[in-house]
């Protein structure tokens, strides 16, 4: 009963954190905002790799096929958050910002001895930005205009996943994600003595499917693959427009529903490997390709381009020890990640690179643990109208593992 009450408290705390989630990046100006990384279990500590890892002791949301390897009678719950300190650089200017983000809330349980099911709630993207007096050229002209913009909101991801193990080696899975949310955007365009203010709120909703597989070549070597299918996210917009010319005010639109292009998510293909050496060191490597260019959409200030992502992770836990000492049960992690980015601004890629370290601290007398990870990364570059982000990220998440429906042998 105490365990169930503890799960409920964590659930309520996670929902509160979800409502207070904040992310800040000038690149969230594009599309539906900056996309979130996965932070389930130890994934942020190993460079966000893990397509080939089974859900044996944590919920792996990178691949639904991992649920086929869930242990019987185990109920898992994962909840987390992260704090980010970022320095933004543009030419000779710099600015620092600190914020906290809700990471996720998820639970999973086995349906049969060969299958598992999970439900997860997490942010998909976040739009939170403020840009002042950005000078931009007018097409086919030598003149420029100035942009001041601010935005907030983003999309949420609520998904259901199921994995089934056909044999001791092969597992397949699928997930269906409901994506919903809105982005509020305020922009002011200044051209000579004319000012145009645009306020708009865009609502999004739609579904996206993912399929995956994992295959154990032997007890130390596993390969995995995922396919995130293309999706069309429906959009609707309410907009107000006003102009000020030579101090003369004029309202063109006022909360008028108008057409807006739907948001398209591309086909994303991923492959990963997991290899264990001498029952102590485990290495994971993932590669993902996202075909954003095929989505045939663009942004006013940039183009969507195909994205390549590489992730490498190391974990160490000597399984040959008897674990009588607490320090022998602590697991250590390190990782690196490089992402070419899916945006191209003024012919320049907005790429992202990071390194990470972390530890897994087991909770005494339980199968649960606390994961702590630290990451340092850089996004973008100082060039033309681009901004470079240097960020420090601290992630905390609690992986709870309870055994249910097992009759006690002793009181």
């Amino acid at each position: 009963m105490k365990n169930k009450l503890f799960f409920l408290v964590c659930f309520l705390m996670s929902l509160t954190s979800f409502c207070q989630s904040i992310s800040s990046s000038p690149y969230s100006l594009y599309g539906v905002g900056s996309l979130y990384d996965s932070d389930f279990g130890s994934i942020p500590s190993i460079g966000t790799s893990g397509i080939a890892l089974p859900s044996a002791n944590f919920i792996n949301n990178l691949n639904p096929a991992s649920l086929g390897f869930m242990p019987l009678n185990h109920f898992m719950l994962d909840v987390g958050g992260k704090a980010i300190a970022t320095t933004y650089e543009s030419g000779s200017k710099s600015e620092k910002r600190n914020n906290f983000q809700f990471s996720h809330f998820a639970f999973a349980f086995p349906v049969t001895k060969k299958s598992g099911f999970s439900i997860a709630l997490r942010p998909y993207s976040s739009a939170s930005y403020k840009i002042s007096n950005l000078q931009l050229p007018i097409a086919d002209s030598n003149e420029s205009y100035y942009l001041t913009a601010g935005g907030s909101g983003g999309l949420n991801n609520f998904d259901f996943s199921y994995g089934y193990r056909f044999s001791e080696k092969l597992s397949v899975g699928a997930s269906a994600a409901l994506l919903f949310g809105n982005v509020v955007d305020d922009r002011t365009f200044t051209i000579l003595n004319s000012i145009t203010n645009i306020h708009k709120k865009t609502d999004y909703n739609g579904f996206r499917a993912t399929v995956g597989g994992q295959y154990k070549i032997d007890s130390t070597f596993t390969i995995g693959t995922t396919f995130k299918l293309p999706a069309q996210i429906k959009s609707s917009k309410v907009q107000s427009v006003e102009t000020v010319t030579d101090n003369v005010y004029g309202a063109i639109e006022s909360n008028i529903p108008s057409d807006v292009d739907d948001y398209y998510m591309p086909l994303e293909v991923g492959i990963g490997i997991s290899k264990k050496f001498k029952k102590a060191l485990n290495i994971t490597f993932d590669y993902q390709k996202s075909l954003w260019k095929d989505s045939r959409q663009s942004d006013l200030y940039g183009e969507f381009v195909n994205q390549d992502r590489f992730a490498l992770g190391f974990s160490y836990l000597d399984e040959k020890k008897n674990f009588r000492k607490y320090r022998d049960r602590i697991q250590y992690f390190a990782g690196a990640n490089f992402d070419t980015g899916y945006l191209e601004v003024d012919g320049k890629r907005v790429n992202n690179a990071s390194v990470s370290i972390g530890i897994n601290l087991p909770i005494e007398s339980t199968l649960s643990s606390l994961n702590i990870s630290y990451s340092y990364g850089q996004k973008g570059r100082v060039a033309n109208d681009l901004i470079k982000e240097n960020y420090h990220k601290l992630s905390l998440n609690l992986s709870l593992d309870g055994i249910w429906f097992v009759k006690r042998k002793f009181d």
Side-chain angles (χ1 to χ4, degrees), residues 71-95:
L72 193 62
N73 296 323
H74 284 242
F75 181 94
M76 297 183 182
L77 184 147
D78 211 297
V79 61
K82 50 191 173 184
I84 303 178
T86 308
T87 301
Y88 304 94
E89 298 180 24
S90 177
S92 60
K93 298 180 180 180
S94 66
E95 180 180 345

Side-chain angles (χ1 to χ4, degrees), residues 182-217:
N182 62 71
V183 174
V184 177
D185 183 271
D186 291 285
R187 302 191 185 189
T188 299
F189 301 89
T190 303
I191 304 175
L192 299 177
N193 60 341
S194 177
I195 300 174
T196 301
N197 298 314
I198 300 176
H199 171 83
K200 64 179 179 179
K201 178 182 178 183
T202 307
D203 292 294
Y204 300 91
N205 66 85
F207 286 92
R208 192 184 196 191
T210 301
V211 295
Q214 286 185 344
Y215 184 78
K216 286 189 175 183
I217 296 177

Side-chain angles (χ1 to χ4, degrees), residues 127-147:
S128 178
Y129 54 88
K130 187 175 182 180
I131 300 173
S132 300
N133 295 321
L134 176 63
Q135 185 176 3
L136 297 169
I138 298 175
D140 301 322
S141 172
N142 294 324
E143 301 294 330
S144 299
Y145 69 94
Y146 293 87
L147 168 69

Side-chain angles (χ1 to χ4, degrees), residues 100-406:
F100 173 79
Q101 300 175 0
F102 163 76
S103 173
H104 63 277
F105 170 81
F107 66 88
F109 54 88
V111 179
T112 67
K113 64 179 180 180
K114 292 185 177 181
S115 64
F117 178 79
S118 73
I119 297 177
L121 175 65
R122 62 184 178 89
Y124 173 80
S125 68
S126 176
S128 178
Y129 54 88
K130 187 175 182 180
I131 300 173
S132 300
N133 295 321
L134 176 63
Q135 185 176 3
L136 297 169
I138 298 175
D140 301 322
S141 172
N142 294 324
E143 301 294 330
S144 299
Y145 69 94
Y146 293 87
L147 168 69
T148 296
S152 61
L155 268 63
N156 306 308
N157 185 108
F158 185 49
D159 65 65
F160 304 84
S161 301
Y162 177 78
Y164 183 83
R165 177 165 47 88
F166 284 93
S167 66
E168 293 301 317
K169 293 188 174 183
L170 176 64
S171 177
V172 298
S175 65
L178 169 63
L179 297 163
F180 62 96
N182 62 71
V183 174
V184 177
D185 183 271
D186 291 285
R187 302 191 185 189
T188 299
F189 301 89
T190 303
I191 304 175
L192 299 177
N193 60 341
S194 177
I195 300 174
T196 301
N197 298 314
I198 300 176
H199 171 83
K200 64 179 179 179
K201 178 182 178 183
T202 307
D203 292 294
Y204 300 91
N205 66 85
F207 286 92
R208 192 184 196 191
T210 301
V211 295
Q214 286 185 344
Y215 184 78
K216 286 189 175 183
I217 296 177
D218 57 40
S219 60
T220 65
F221 189 27
T222 303
I223 60 174
T225 185
T226 57
F227 298 87
K228 293 184 179 180
L229 304 183
Q232 181 177 356
I233 308 302
K234 296 295 183 181
S235 307
S236 60
K237 179 178 69 174
V238 175
Q239 179 172 280
S240 298
V241 180
E242 63 181 29
T243 62
V244 179
T245 303
D246 293 328
N247 296 322
V248 178
Y249 169 82
I252 301 176
E253 297 179 356
S254 180
N255 294 323
I256 302 298
S258 58
D259 294 333
V260 61
D261 292 336
D262 292 336
Y263 185 74
Y264 292 89
M265 294 182 176
L267 172 66
E268 298 184 57
V269 180
I271 186 169
I273 61 173
S274 174
K275 175 65 177 178
K276 181 169 288 188
F277 297 89
K278 297 182 179 181
K279 293 186 176 182
L281 177 66
N282 194 80
I283 299 177
T284 53
F285 176 78
D286 290 358
Y287 169 73
Q288 290 179 287
K289 182 78 172 184
S290 301
L291 304 179
W292 285 95
K293 190 173 182 179
D294 291 346
S295 65
R296 297 182 180 179
Q297 60 186 340
S298 63
D299 191 274
L300 180 62
Y301 308 107
E303 295 290 334
F304 286 85
V305 293
N306 292 340
Q307 177 186 28
D308 296 288
R309 178 180 169 274
F310 306 87
L312 177 66
F314 302 89
S315 61
Y316 180 83
L317 178 66
D318 193 346
E319 296 179 359
K320 298 186 292 295
K321 295 184 178 181
N322 57 19
F323 294 155
R324 290 182 179 179
K325 296 180 180 179
Y326 181 82
R327 65 173 179 267
D328 293 336
R329 302 197 301 273
I330 298 175
Q331 193 169 10
Y332 303 90
F333 306 97
N337 182 293
F338 178 75
D339 177 2
T340 62
Y342 59 92
L343 286 172
E344 189 173 84
V345 182
D346 197 20
K348 301 293 191 302
R349 285 289 189 106
V350 183
N351 54 29
N352 180 47
S354 65
V355 293
S356 57
I357 57 173
I359 58 174
N360 175 281
L361 300 174
I363 298 175
E364 289 284 7
S365 303
T366 71
L367 298 174
S368 304
S369 61
L370 175 66
N371 292 282
I372 305 173
S373 74
Y374 164 77
S375 303
Y376 170 75
Q378 295 182 347
K379 182 177 182 179
R381 67 183 77 182
V382 180
N384 298 332
D385 296 321
L386 294 184
I387 296 173
K388 182 179 180 180
E389 299 181 15
N390 297 283
Y391 59 87
H392 302 268
K393 180 173 70 174
L394 180 65
S395 300
L396 297 175
N397 71 71
L398 190 62
S399 296
L400 301 174
D401 188 344
I403 299 178
W404 286 22
F405 309 115
V406 176

